[in-house]
Amino acid sequence: GPAVCSCAGIRRQAIEDSITLLANKAASRGRHAGALSSVLTPAQCLEALQTNLGCGVQCGSCVPELRSMIRIALPESQGVAQECRGDV
């Protein structure tokens, strides 16, 4: 796939895979802790991508695309948490 972050050479698939992994880890922590507060926020996800992959930290031109990718990927995991909160 194409590079989303040209400065670090990070491709779309690597970012998508990382977002999925981060969301799954957060959901798993929430289940094990018995709390739903471990849902990954978009800001936390962006920070983790910047730290783990190095994208969005040099020129910053890819940050809007990263935010868009996060918005598309996260509602699925957050929707589960919102449904569960409604049941409590």
Side-chain angles (χ1 to χ4, degrees):
V4 172
C5 178
S6 299
C7 296
I10 307 299
R11 300 199 172 280
R12 176 173 294 279
Q13 190 63 53
I15 295 167
E16 289 173 349
D17 291 347
S18 186
I19 293 169
T20 300
L21 181 64
L22 290 164
N24 288 341
K25 281 184 178 180
S28 178
R29 279 194 307 269
R31 281 192 299 273
H32 292 302
L36 295 170
S37 60
S38 294
V39 173
L40 187 67
T41 67
Q44 290 169 327
C45 188
L46 178 60
E47 185 178 328
L49 290 175
Q50 291 171 323
T51 300
N52 297 341
L53 298 180
C55 51
V57 296
Q58 292 180 38
C59 80
S61 68
C62 64
V63 171
E65 179 68 15
L66 294 172
R67 286 188 176 132
S68 176
M69 292 173 71
I70 291 166
R71 263 194 311 275
I72 291 167
L74 286 188
E76 184 176 303
S77 63
Q78 297 215 2
V80 171
Q82 289 169 353
E83 275 183 33
C84 292
R85 274 193 208 115
D87 292 343
V88 173

